[in-house]
């Protein structure tokens, strides 16, 4: 007797940079019963440091990326800067569903909302909110990975992103990481089992 394979769910985590979404997503990936697999994004930007093609991103030339856009191979995509694209390939979601798993995304706000619009019933869209803009700025400075100008750009972008929070299914305020992890775990488990 064969069991019919059901399509997996889509779990989207979006947030301003420094809110803790990547930490939450990594935590959830370690919980076996959630049956999650990380969606690897495609990008036309160059590799940084030790990044690996097919693990960190699918690295494409701008020309190849545009060709895939034209052929409608993306679930969602965005041109962040001129010829600097990011997106989710349809084949990536299909690959994960073929494994019998649920897809989890660590993705920007506009991409997350596009996925929710395309798959309204299969998607849980979670917005991770920092306790405040001031706290966000402190977290970004603690990383010591970017200049003050870049941090100020991220903080300015965060204000616009925070305005989109009500468009998401749920908002998790990350003012206490342990509580945020538990809340994310609870909400994702409820959604997957619904």
């Amino acid at each position: 007797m064969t069991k019919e394979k059901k399509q997996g769910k889509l779990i989207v985590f979006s947030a301003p940079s420094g809110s803790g979404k990547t930490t939450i997503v990594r935590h959830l990936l370690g919980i076996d019963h959630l049956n999650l697999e990380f969606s690897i994004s495609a990008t036309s930007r160059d590799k940084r440091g030790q990044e690996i093609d097919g693990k960190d991103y699918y690295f494409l030339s701008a020309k190849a990326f545009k060709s895939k856009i034209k052929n409608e191979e993306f679930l969602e995509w965005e041109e962040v800067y001129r010829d600097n694209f990011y997106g989710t390939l349809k084949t990536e979601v299909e690959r994960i569903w073929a494994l019998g798993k649920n897809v989890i995304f660590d993705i920007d706000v506009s991409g997350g909302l596009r996925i929710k619009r395309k798959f309204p019933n299969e998607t849980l869209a979670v917005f991770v909110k920092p306790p405040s803009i001031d706290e966000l700025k402190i977290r970004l400075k603690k990383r010591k990975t970017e200049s003050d100008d870049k941090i100020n750009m991220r903080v300015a972008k965060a204000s616009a992103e925070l305005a989109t929070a009500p468009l998401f299914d749920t908002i998790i305020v990350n003012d206490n990481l342990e509580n945020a992890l538990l809340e994310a775990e609870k909400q994702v488990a409820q959604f997957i089992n619904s």
Side-chain angles (χ1 to χ4, degrees):
M1 190 169 83
T2 60
K3 198 172 147 185
E4 192 182 306
K5 193 182 208 177
K6 73 174 187 144
Q7 182 174 296
K9 304 258 177 120
L10 304 169
I11 314 297
V12 169
F13 275 82
S14 297
S17 185
S19 298
K21 75 177 173 342
T22 303
T23 302
I24 293 171
V25 167
R26 283 189 186 135
H27 170 75
L28 294 171
L29 281 164
I31 301 170
D32 289 341
H33 70 87
L34 296 177
N35 195 28
L36 299 170
E37 179 86 12
F38 185 70
S39 172
I40 301 166
S41 295
T43 184
S44 65
R45 74 157 173 78
D46 293 333
K47 286 182 195 174
R48 294 181 191 143
Q50 303 297 311
E51 288 179 331
I52 299 166
D53 185 46
K55 180 179 182 283
D56 298 299
Y57 286 96
Y58 295 114
F59 291 98
L60 306 170
S61 67
K63 184 179 177 182
F65 205 105
K66 288 176 186 174
S67 173
K68 288 184 182 298
I69 291 169
K70 190 178 171 196
N71 294 331
E72 298 183 6
E73 294 179 50
F74 286 100
L75 189 59
E76 60 79 32
W77 63 272
E78 187 170 354
E79 186 174 17
V80 181
Y81 305 106
R82 184 170 159 69
D83 284 340
N84 189 342
F85 296 93
Y86 288 87
T88 303
L89 289 160
K90 291 176 182 176
T91 53
E92 177 67 358
V93 172
E94 290 161 5
R95 175 188 73 81
I96 294 168
W97 279 345
L99 297 172
K101 294 189 169 235
N102 300 298
V103 186
I104 190 165
F105 300 85
D106 174 343
I107 193 170
D108 76 340
V109 169
S110 54
L113 290 172
R114 279 198 283 283
I115 289 171
K116 178 66 180 178
R117 278 194 297 274
K118 283 188 182 171
F119 296 97
N121 300 322
E122 298 88 352
T123 305
L124 174 66
V126 181
F127 189 93
V128 180
K129 196 173 178 180
S132 68
I133 288 284
D134 289 340
E135 176 60 25
L136 188 69
K137 197 168 189 174
I138 291 165
R139 290 178 185 178
L140 290 169
K141 283 181 183 268
K142 278 185 186 170
R143 284 183 180 176
K144 294 185 173 151
T145 56
E146 295 173 318
S147 68
D148 283 346
D149 285 348
K150 189 85 168 169
I151 289 169
N152 290 334
M153 267 177 40
R154 288 195 185 276
V155 169
K157 187 178 178 195
S159 297
E161 290 171 327
L162 286 167
T164 68
L167 301 173
F168 285 75
D169 296 316
T170 188
I171 299 169
I172 294 175
V173 179
N174 185 11
D175 55 356
N176 174 297
L177 183 59
E178 195 173 310
N179 291 345
L181 294 174
L182 289 170
E183 182 63 24
E185 209 174 309
K186 183 181 94 178
Q187 293 204 25
V188 170
Q190 281 175 347
F191 181 73
I192 286 171
N193 297 320
S194 65

